[in-house]
Amino acid sequence: MRNKGIMGIIAIMIVLLSMLGAAYAAWTDTVRIEVEAKMGEFIVGILDKSVSCTETTNGVPEEQFKYPKPWVANCSCTLSDFETSVHHTPPQTVAKRLDIKLVNAYPQWDVHIRFKLKNAGTIPAKLVEANMTGRDLKDDEDLTININWYFDTGLGAWVGEGEVIDPTVGTAIINLHIEVFVPEDYQLEPCTEYPVYLSLDFKQEAEECHTYLITLQILAVQWNKAEEYMP
């Protein structure tokens, strides 16, 4: 009889311990939820490695002259102020600034530069400014650049016609022609490239043995913020 009582107590203790274990498990159980959130990315500029520069005299490449002329002038293009997108494979890098260095420029020398604007992000953008400045590095003075813009519907591009004025000479030394193949409303779609063509034609008034620096800086904003930057 005594053994039966002991066995009953042991059974009750086993039941109590199992209940306590279940209660303990209920209090210590955890649920882990892992969430990865990615935000939109806004990166717009001049596509890295898309810039090319060719040189001619009166529109004719130097090597095509009957007696090829020596290379006395030189054009070099440098990009800076870079950003790289993380949403592309491989990654896409764009720059906000292009420096065009023109060494030993002479009258009737032409420089033709091509590059691509790219919206390397995931958010539609609007191009609101393409600011161009110039400097005569030999005389250490700023040049004046005037450009008139219009949209050419047949070409499907914004066209800029202008000139670079040297205050020392007192007149234009370079004729400018720019074609920017973006829509009339300036909108740049994500993951899309837009060609740009820039021509610099040195006039008779240009001084020889000078080095000129032309700088182009690009500003784009989120598509629904353009009115804050444009009239």
Side-chain angles (χ1 to χ4, degrees):
M1 187 73 178
R2 184 179 178 182
N3 290 337
K4 290 183 178 180
I6 293 173
M7 292 298 294
I9 293 171
I10 292 173
I12 292 171
M13 290 181 64
I14 291 172
V15 171
L16 289 174
L17 287 173
S18 65
M19 292 175 64
L20 179 62
Y24 177 78
W27 281 103
T28 61
D29 226 3
T30 59
V31 177
R32 178 176 295 175
I33 301 175
E34 295 183 357
V35 177
E36 183 178 1
K38 293 185 178 181
M39 304 298 291
E41 187 177 41
F42 187 86
I43 296 180
V44 179
I46 301 170
L47 184 62
D48 191 24
K49 298 181 175 59
S50 72
V51 183
S52 66
C53 179
T54 58
E55 307 165 23
T56 61
T57 298
N58 288 333
V60 180
E62 303 287 349
E63 61 274 12
Q64 291 186 15
F65 282 83
K66 182 177 179 180
Y67 301 104
K69 298 175 63 177
W71 288 102
V72 297
N74 182 61
C75 167
S76 61
C77 297
T78 304
L79 292 174
S80 60
D81 194 5
F82 290 100
E83 285 186 296
T84 300
S85 170
V86 299
H87 286 86
H88 289 265
T89 304
Q92 295 284 288
T93 299
V94 299
K96 300 296 180 61
R97 173 171 173 154
L98 170 63
D99 286 319
I100 305 166
K101 193 173 184 179
L102 306 160
V103 181
N104 292 332
Y106 57 85
Q108 301 181 23
W109 183 53
D110 313 314
V111 174
H112 312 280
I113 299 166
R114 299 179 186 275
F115 59 88
K116 294 179 180 178
L117 291 178
K118 179 156 191 178
N119 183 346
T122 60
I123 300 172
K126 288 214 173 186
L127 180 65
V128 296
E129 186 175 329
N131 184 38
M132 186 173 288
T133 58
R135 189 161 185 82
D136 183 336
L137 299 183
K138 180 180 179 181
D139 290 342
D140 193 25
E141 65 179 9
D142 291 332
L143 305 173
T144 301
I145 299 181
N146 298 322
I147 304 176
N148 295 317
W149 290 93
Y150 64 93
F151 188 77
D152 188 323
T153 55
L155 190 63
W158 279 95
V159 177
E161 301 283 358
E163 56 189 15
V164 179
I165 299 173
D166 186 336
T168 300
V169 177
T171 187
I173 59 170
I174 305 173
N175 287 330
L176 288 176
H177 178 83
I178 311 173
E179 297 173 1
V180 185
F181 290 85
V182 301
E184 190 171 5
D185 64 355
Y186 311 101
Q187 183 151 316
L188 311 178
E189 301 298 338
C191 307
T192 306
E193 300 174 1
Y194 300 88
V196 178
Y197 169 72
L198 169 61
S199 175
L200 305 170
D201 177 17
F202 282 82
K203 304 177 66 174
Q204 285 297 135
E205 291 77 7
E207 297 181 282
E208 298 187 32
C209 300
H210 279 233
T211 297
Y212 299 101
L213 181 66
I214 305 296
T215 298
L216 175 65
Q217 292 179 294
I218 300 297
L219 174 63
V221 299
Q222 189 171 305
W223 64 274
N224 58 342
K225 298 290 184 180
E227 291 183 357
E228 300 178 13
Y229 293 84
M230 301 172 67

